[in-house]
Amino acid sequence: MTNGEASTTHLTARFLRMLSIALEELDAVRDAAGRAEYAGLTARAKELERETDALEREIEDACLAAFAEPLTPDELAFHLMVFRSLTNLERVGDYAFGVARDLELLAPRTHSATLQDVLPLVGLLVDMLERLAYAFAERDVRAAREVMRLDAEGVDALYEQMTRASLTRLHERPDDVEVALTAGRMARSLERLGDHLVNVAERLEVLVVRGGVRVPDLRAG
């Protein structure tokens, strides 16, 4: 196995772990909202965010080291795709942490309807993350394009719906400004999280369509 092949295999595994952490963060939010039990949600999200930050540094260092080695054009394209997507996944973690924090703070001060508005959007983003992980692992362009479709047809519509609901409740209960603003911030964070997933999916689409690199067998070795 060449250095480029070894680096590709290593980065594939570590990048998938970053996606897995983001999925864990959103799953924790969805589970807390579904059970209406929010204590400890921020601490769990913070723990996962720390792992994301450490992985970002590790992957960045690995990419920089690989750039100093001989790489085939396809391997170089892969490493660039990963390197350029690191900021997106770091921001995904940041937004997921913000939603977890806001949800734990908001829960004692509002009724369940406001909190339940979060669930459909989080569920859709979980679906997008799972498809993106599959697309990346298998270099599957259809799965990558499905991530884009879910964002365009699902996340954006749910974001608008959640925003309207927040404004309606603010009109009905004008003294509840803080709750409305927090709910609106959560909706915006989730919408932006989806945008960052789309950015990664778009880069992956380009990588696959232009030839990309072979799918490494992560079970090898």
Side-chain angles (χ1 to χ4, degrees):
M1 180 182 288
T2 67
N3 288 341
E5 290 171 339
S7 181
T8 296
T9 299
H10 172 71
L11 287 178
T12 296
R14 303 313 282 157
F15 196 82
L16 284 171
R17 177 55 189 154
M18 280 192 81
L19 289 170
S20 175
I21 293 171
L23 188 58
E24 287 181 51
E25 287 184 282
L26 288 182
D27 270 336
V29 169
R30 183 170 61 173
D31 182 60
R35 294 184 296 107
E37 295 178 8
Y38 306 97
L41 181 58
T42 303
R44 175 57 179 157
K46 188 64 177 177
E47 177 185 343
L48 291 169
E49 187 185 30
R50 281 195 293 267
E51 186 177 353
T52 293
D53 291 342
L55 270 173
E56 181 189 17
R57 292 190 294 271
E58 177 189 337
I59 293 172
E60 183 178 42
D61 288 346
C63 285
L64 292 174
F67 292 146
E69 300 288 336
L71 297 173
T72 68
D74 287 345
E75 290 166 352
L76 178 59
F78 170 79
H79 283 72
L80 286 171
M81 178 264 166
V82 169
F83 188 73
R84 290 168 177 164
S85 297
L86 282 176
T87 299
N88 293 115
L89 291 194
E90 190 272 335
R91 293 300 292 149
V92 164
D94 287 346
Y95 282 123
F97 170 74
V99 170
R101 180 197 57 215
D102 285 343
L103 193 59
E104 185 170 357
L105 291 173
L106 185 64
R109 301 199 300 273
T110 189
H111 48 83
S112 60
T114 302
L115 302 175
Q116 291 301 311
D117 284 345
V118 177
L119 280 174
L121 196 47
V122 171
L124 190 53
L125 290 167
V126 166
D127 193 11
M128 287 174 62
L129 262 169
E130 290 173 342
R131 290 171 190 263
L132 181 58
Y134 176 82
F136 182 79
E138 301 295 331
R139 309 294 192 262
D140 190 310
V141 72
R142 286 194 214 175
R145 288 170 178 164
E146 184 66 7
V147 172
M148 303 175 213
R149 186 193 68 79
L150 288 171
D151 183 71
E153 298 179 8
V155 171
D156 290 346
L158 284 172
Y159 167 64
E160 291 178 8
Q161 177 182 322
M162 191 173 174
T163 300
R164 286 196 301 270
S166 179
L167 290 173
T168 298
R169 292 190 184 105
L170 181 59
H171 177 72
E172 294 171 350
R173 301 177 62 184
D175 57 325
D176 239 352
V177 175
E178 185 179 0
V179 168
L181 290 177
T182 303
R185 182 171 64 239
M186 290 168 59
R188 180 60 178 165
S189 293
L190 291 169
E191 189 270 339
R192 289 295 296 140
L193 192 159
D195 288 344
H196 284 287
L197 296 181
V198 167
N199 288 343
V200 178
E202 288 174 343
R203 290 195 192 96
L204 182 59
E205 178 190 34
V206 171
L207 179 74
V208 175
V209 170
R210 289 183 179 174
V213 293
R214 68 175 181 82
V215 179
D217 185 357
L218 299 181
R219 296 167 297 180

